[in-house]
């Protein structure tokens, strides 16, 4: 049975660590009204559902579910990334990935599944178990699985110590069961040995990976669509890798020749 809208809003409020008063102040409504909505004494208007959802940073897919629970039609579309209506966004993603070469870059969905990648991503994808490259290719799994590129990551403990808490926070923030299952799976891939402290010379977490006998060192940035109104676009992120030292810059340049 679907959860009533008030109970769902209460769950999101508690997930965000807000009191009814704090949410009411943010949404510019009374705490009494928030209480009545959560207990089911008041059915919120469509605009109130959206206002509270905005203050709670509820993902668009979940906002649709809140609207349906309150008796309203969903308003946020969800289309495949290659749908004609998303053509400009798809073209922008491809342009970003191509433009980042000769360095690796990829586009991911909200579950860390690979959507697009440039040719330079082969430094990560080479020599992994072909079974892990069957769609959908999950980059979290590929990076930490013993048959993925984990054996080639020289600072694997440090990378695990960064990625697993990050995924745990994502699970806590979204309540997504697929992400929760992925997190439990990744925990089983290895012991969480104590990671070394960051090097004061590093500007971000480095990923040190061997490729054809050489060691490459990258750091990465994440880019998302601002103010997305499509569920698919909201979950898309571009991860771009940059050389963290001059030797990596030289070696990657040599790979392109």
């Amino acid at each position: 049975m679907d959860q009533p809208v008030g109970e769902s809003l209460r769950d999101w409020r508690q997930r965000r660590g807000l009191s009814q008063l704090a949410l009411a102040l943010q949404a510019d409504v009374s705490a009494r009204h928030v209480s009545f909505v959560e207990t089911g004494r008041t059915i919120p208007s469509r605009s109130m559902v959206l206002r509270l959802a905005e203050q709670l940073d509820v993902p668009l897919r979940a906002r649709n579910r809140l609207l349906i629970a309150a008796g309203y039609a969903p308003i946020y579309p969800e289309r495949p990334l290659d749908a004609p209506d998303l053509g400009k966004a798809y073209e922008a993603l491809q342009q970003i990935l191509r433009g980042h070469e000769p360095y690796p870059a990829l586009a991911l969905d909200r579950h860390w599944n690979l959507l697009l990648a440039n040719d330079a991503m082969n430094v990560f994808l080479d020599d992994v178990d072909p079974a892990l490259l069957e769609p959908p290719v999950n980059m979290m799994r590929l990076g930490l699985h013993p048959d993925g590129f984990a054996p080639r990551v020289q600072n694997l403990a440090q990378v695990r110590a960064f990625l697993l808490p990050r995924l745990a926070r994502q699970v806590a923030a979204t309540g997504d069961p697929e992400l929760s299952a992925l997190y439990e799976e990744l925990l089983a891939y290895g012991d969480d040995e104590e990671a070394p402290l960051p090097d004061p010379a590093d500007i971000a977490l480095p990923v040190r990976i061997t490729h054809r006998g050489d060691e490459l060192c990258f750091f990465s940035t994440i880019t998302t669509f601002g103010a997305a109104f499509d569920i698919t676009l909201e979950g898309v992120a571009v991860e771009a890798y940059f050389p963290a030292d001059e030797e990596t810059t030289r070696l990657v340049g040599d790979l392109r020749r």
Side-chain angles (χ1 to χ4, degrees):
M1 187 175 184
D2 291 336
Q3 193 176 34
V5 63
E7 292 182 16
S8 294
L9 285 167
R10 181 192 61 205
D11 288 349
W12 280 107
R13 175 179 61 77
Q14 293 174 342
R15 186 174 288 130
R16 298 295 184 250
L18 294 175
S19 66
Q20 288 183 343
L21 178 58
L23 175 58
L25 290 172
Q26 288 183 197
D28 195 25
V29 297
S30 70
R32 177 186 176 92
H33 187 67
V34 172
S35 175
F36 278 19
V37 168
E38 291 187 354
T39 59
R41 294 181 63 181
T42 295
I43 300 299
S45 67
R46 179 174 172 272
S47 62
M48 181 57 63
V49 171
L50 294 173
R51 185 191 304 185
L52 295 176
E54 177 68 24
Q55 297 306 315
L56 293 170
D57 194 25
V58 176
L60 301 185
R61 178 179 282 100
R63 294 188 197 193
N64 274 349
R65 289 197 292 267
L66 287 172
L67 288 167
I68 292 170
Y72 306 111
I75 65 171
Y76 299 105
E78 181 174 15
R79 294 158 287 195
L81 187 57
D82 58 357
D85 288 349
L86 297 185
K88 290 296 184 183
Y90 188 77
E91 181 180 327
L93 287 173
Q94 291 181 312
Q95 185 175 351
I96 291 170
L97 299 185
R98 288 194 304 266
H100 194 64
E101 292 178 346
Y103 307 121
L106 69 163
L108 303 162
D109 70 12
R110 65 194 178 96
H111 292 129
W112 296 87
N113 293 321
L114 180 63
L115 298 172
L116 296 167
N118 65 13
D119 291 341
M121 274 303 298
N122 285 332
V123 299
F124 290 98
L125 303 182
D126 279 355
D127 301 323
V128 303
D129 186 339
L132 293 174
L133 296 179
E134 292 292 327
V137 178
N138 187 275
M139 293 305 296
M140 276 277 195
R141 180 180 296 115
L142 197 64
L144 299 181
H145 195 287
D147 296 327
F149 58 83
R152 294 193 289 122
V153 178
Q154 300 305 294
N155 60 329
L156 183 60
Q158 196 176 29
V159 171
R160 277 180 59 87
F162 174 77
L163 289 181
L164 289 177
R166 178 179 177 179
L167 183 56
R169 291 192 296 271
Q170 193 177 358
V171 171
T174 64
D176 190 307
E178 188 170 333
L179 287 175
S180 180
L182 177 63
Y183 177 71
E184 295 300 324
E185 176 189 337
L186 298 184
L187 284 178
Y189 288 165
D191 297 328
D192 288 325
E193 58 182 285
E194 186 172 352
L197 294 174
D199 187 322
D202 291 332
I203 60 174
L205 174 72
V207 178
R208 306 182 189 278
I209 187 167
T210 57
H211 179 68
R212 300 177 185 176
D214 295 314
E215 181 175 309
L216 305 175
C217 186
F218 297 99
F219 67 90
S220 67
T221 63
I222 300 288
T223 303
T224 59
F225 281 91
F229 293 119
D230 182 275
I231 291 172
T232 297
L233 287 186
E234 182 191 41
V236 172
V238 173
E239 186 163 15
Y241 290 85
F242 294 84
D245 54 39
E246 290 300 323
E247 182 66 5
T248 298
T249 301
R250 182 185 68 80
L251 290 169
V252 171
D254 289 344
L255 289 174
R256 298 287 291 179
R257 295 193 182 103

